[in-house]
Amino acid sequence: MKSTRNWMVLITTAITIALATPVAQTQSPRFAAGQGSGATAQGQQRFTGAPIDVDYASADLRKVLRQIADIGGINLAIDPSVPVSGAVDLKLTQVPWDQVLDTVMQLNNLTNVNNGTVVIVLTREARTKQLEDEAKQKKAGEKAPDLVTERVRLNFAKASEMKKLLDQADMLSERGTAEPDERSNILVIKDVPVAIEEIKKLIADLDKPEPQVEIEAYIVQTNQDTARELGVQWGLNARSNAQIGNTTPLGFPNNGSLTGATNNGNAVNMPAVGATSALKLALGSVNGALDLAFTLSALERTGKLEIKSKPKVVTANNKPAEMSSGFQIPYQTVSNNTTTIQYKDAALKLVVTPTISGNGSVSMIVALENATPDFSRSVDGNPSIATQRAMTQVQVPDGTTTAIGGILKTTVSTDKESTPGISRIPLIGWMFRHNTNKSESQELVIFLTPRIIR
C-alpha cells in the first residue's frame, strides 16, 4: 500500500507541473543550491526555478532526487555516501523546483558540488572530508621539496653494506633511494636535502678505518711415551741313544730325544722385542746327553717429544684470522671408471675472530682443530684422521696473554703372553711369561696474546 501511494504521489505531481507551468521546464535555470549564487543582499536565498506542487509521504530519497533533477533539466550524480534507506516526507505548493531540491537536501543533511554541468549530491560529512583531503594534498604539494642527487665515495666501508644499513635504519624518506656501485664503491643517494644531510653525517661517522688486531699464538704440543718389556727364551736338548751309552733297558722305546720346537729351536720363545739388555745361562752334561740354555731379556724405553710453534697474524676488527700448520694426505676416488686424486687436510688449524670493545679489551672467538693421520687404522691404504677440536670465547685486556686450555690424551696398554698352565705355577711361572706395559700421553696447549694496532 505504501509503494502504491508513493507512485500515485509522483504521477499527481507530474500532472500538476504539466498543467500549471508547461513552459517552465524548458526555461528552468541550472541548479546552484548550496553554492550561494541565489543569495540576495539581505542574505536571503533566491530561487529562480519554475514553481511546482509536490506531495511526498515516506518516498525514497534517491528517487525523489532523480525526479526533481528531471523536472529541472539538470545532470545529477548521487554520491555513494547518500544513504540508500533515506525517506522524504514533504508537501509543498507552488515552490520553485530548485528550492524544493534544496529543501530535500537540507532535511537529509546533504549538500551539492557543481562539476561543470553535473551536480553531485553528497552528505555534509563526505564533503567535509573531501575539503580536508584537498587541503592536505595542496599543503603537501606546496611543502614537498625537490629531490637532489648526491654521490658519496666510501673509503673504508662497503657501499652495499652501507645501503643495507640505511634501509634498516629507515634513514631515507618515502621518495628517497640509495644505490651502491660496487666497482667504484660509491653510494648514489637521491632524496630531499634534509635527509641527505643526515645520511652524510652518519656515513662520516661510520666510514672510518677500523683498528687492527695482531694475534700472537704460542702452541706447545708434547708427546711422551714409556714402555717396559720383560721376556724369556729357553731351550732344551736331551738325548738317549747307543752313541753316548744311555739307552733304556726297554725294547721300545730304546732311544729318543727331546728338543725345543720353535723356529729358533727354543722350547719357550718370548723375548723382549728390540731389547738391548739380555742375560743367557747355558748348562750341559759332559757326554752331551742333556743341554739347557736360558735367556732373560728386558727393555725399558722412555721418549719425549715437544713441538713448539709461534705463529703471528694481523687481522681487521671483527674479521676472522686463520693459522694452519700441517700437510695434506692424498687419497683416491673412483667415479665413472675415472680415478681421481683428492686431498684431506691433516693439520693444526687455529681460527680467531677478534672484537675490540670500548674499554680497550679484545673479545676473541677461538676455534681449534688438531688433525693427525692414524696409519694404524688405514682403509685401503688411506689413513684415518684423528681429530681434536675445541671452541671457546674469551675476553682479555690488550697485550695480555691467556691460555685457552689444553687437550690431553693418555693411552695405557698392557700385553701378556704366556704358556698355558705352566705360567701359573708359583716361583717358576715367570719363566713362561712375556709382559709388556706401555703408556703414551699427548698434550696440546694454546696461548694467545692480542695486541690492538691503532
Side-chain angles (χ1 to χ4, degrees):
M1 295 295 294
K2 182 178 180 180
S3 176
T4 304
R5 181 180 180 184
N6 291 340
W7 280 108
M8 292 179 62
V9 170
L10 294 176
I11 295 173
T12 303
T13 303
I15 294 174
T16 302
I17 294 172
L19 294 175
T21 56
V23 184
Q25 296 183 31
T26 59
Q27 297 178 350
S28 59
R30 293 298 179 188
F31 177 67
Q35 306 301 315
S37 58
T40 62
Q42 289 77 19
Q44 296 179 350
Q45 189 77 11
R46 184 179 60 185
F47 300 96
T48 60
I52 60 174
D53 297 335
V54 295
D55 187 4
Y56 298 114
S58 300
D60 183 86
L61 173 61
R62 289 176 172 256
K63 290 182 179 180
V64 171
L65 293 174
R66 292 172 62 87
Q67 182 191 26
I68 298 175
D70 291 338
I71 294 174
I74 62 175
N75 298 318
L76 185 72
I78 300 177
D79 187 77
S81 62
V82 177
V84 178
S85 59
V88 178
D89 286 287
L90 186 66
K91 179 176 176 59
L92 299 174
T93 303
Q94 292 299 299
V95 177
W97 67 266
D98 49 354
Q99 186 177 2
V100 175
L101 181 59
D102 185 72
T103 303
V104 171
M105 289 192 298
Q106 289 186 17
L107 292 175
N108 291 274
N109 197 27
L110 303 178
T111 186
N112 69 284
V113 177
N114 286 344
N115 185 12
T117 60
V118 179
V119 177
I120 303 175
V121 177
L122 68 166
T123 62
R124 295 185 184 276
E125 291 80 2
R127 179 55 180 165
T128 301
K129 188 176 184 305
Q130 276 188 356
L131 295 175
E132 291 176 352
D133 294 342
E134 291 175 359
K136 290 179 180 179
Q137 185 176 2
K138 182 178 179 181
K139 185 177 181 181
E142 292 174 351
K143 290 186 175 181
D146 296 333
L147 299 180
V148 296
T149 302
E150 190 80 23
R151 291 174 289 276
V152 181
R153 181 182 295 275
L154 301 174
N155 298 317
F156 304 99
K158 291 184 178 181
S160 58
E161 295 179 356
M162 189 62 67
K163 182 204 182 303
K164 293 180 182 179
L165 179 61
L166 295 179
D167 294 338
Q168 294 173 356
D170 199 16
M171 297 288 293
L172 298 168
S173 66
E174 295 182 356
R175 298 185 295 161
T177 59
E179 296 298 332
D181 180 63
E182 299 290 345
R183 182 182 60 85
S184 60
N185 203 31
I186 291 178
L187 188 64
V188 181
I189 307 171
K190 187 175 183 180
D191 209 334
V192 296
V194 176
I196 287 184
E197 289 301 320
E198 292 297 323
I199 292 173
K200 289 173 66 176
K201 292 179 181 179
L202 176 64
I203 293 177
D205 293 336
L206 299 179
D207 189 29
K208 294 180 179 180
E210 285 290 324
Q212 295 180 322
V213 180
E214 178 190 75
I215 300 174
E216 182 178 1
Y218 188 69
I219 303 172
V220 180
Q221 187 174 2
T222 304
N223 294 336
Q224 185 173 359
D225 65 281
T226 60
R228 182 174 295 137
E229 188 173 355
L230 181 63
V232 294
Q233 289 175 291
W234 61 270
L236 175 67
N237 185 13
R239 294 181 300 164
S240 175
N241 55 42
Q243 294 178 357
I244 59 177
N246 62 346
T247 58
T248 67
L250 301 175
F252 180 85
N254 182 262
N255 59 69
S257 64
L258 178 64
T259 60
T262 59
N263 293 334
N264 56 4
N266 290 323
V268 176
N269 186 35
M270 292 182 288
V273 180
T276 58
S277 299
L279 180 64
K280 184 174 183 181
L281 176 64
L283 301 174
S285 63
V286 175
N287 60 2
L290 179 62
D291 293 326
L292 178 63
F294 181 83
T295 302
L296 178 64
S297 59
L299 172 66
E300 184 171 357
R301 183 182 68 249
T302 300
K304 184 176 181 180
L305 174 65
E306 186 170 316
I307 301 175
K308 298 180 181 179
S309 57
K310 197 174 182 180
K312 186 185 298 184
V313 67
V314 177
T315 183
N317 188 29
N318 291 317
K319 299 297 180 181
E322 180 177 329
M323 293 168 277
S324 179
S325 176
F327 52 90
Q328 292 183 322
I329 299 175
Y331 63 96
Q332 293 182 352
T333 58
V334 180
S335 178
N336 297 327
N337 296 325
T338 302
T339 302
T340 305
I341 303 297
Q342 297 184 355
Y343 293 89
K344 176 67 176 178
D345 289 336
L348 174 63
K349 183 184 297 183
L350 180 64
V351 181
V352 182
T353 304
T355 300
I356 301 174
S357 60
N359 59 0
S361 61
V362 180
S363 176
M364 296 181 292
I365 299 176
V366 183
L368 172 65
E369 179 178 332
N370 184 28
T372 56
D374 188 356
F375 290 92
S376 64
R377 295 179 176 86
S378 300
V379 178
D380 295 333
N382 300 318
S384 60
I385 305 297
T387 305
Q388 299 169 317
R389 290 189 180 94
M391 180 172 287
T392 185
Q393 183 172 358
V394 295
Q395 185 170 5
V396 295
D398 181 19
T400 302
T401 301
T402 181
I404 67 169
I407 300 176
L408 177 62
K409 177 183 178 183
T410 302
T411 304
V412 178
S413 62
T414 301
D415 295 330
K416 180 180 180 181
E417 297 179 64
S418 62
T419 301
I422 304 177
S423 61
R424 294 188 178 92
I425 299 176
L427 299 180
I428 64 170
W430 63 272
M431 298 175 60
F432 300 88
R433 287 196 298 261
H434 174 213
N435 298 324
T436 303
N437 297 319
K438 292 183 180 179
S439 175
E440 182 179 359
S441 62
Q442 298 176 347
E443 187 174 11
L444 179 66
V445 183
I446 306 294
F447 299 91
L448 293 178
T449 305
R451 296 182 179 90
I452 302 175
I453 303 175
R454 295 178 173 83

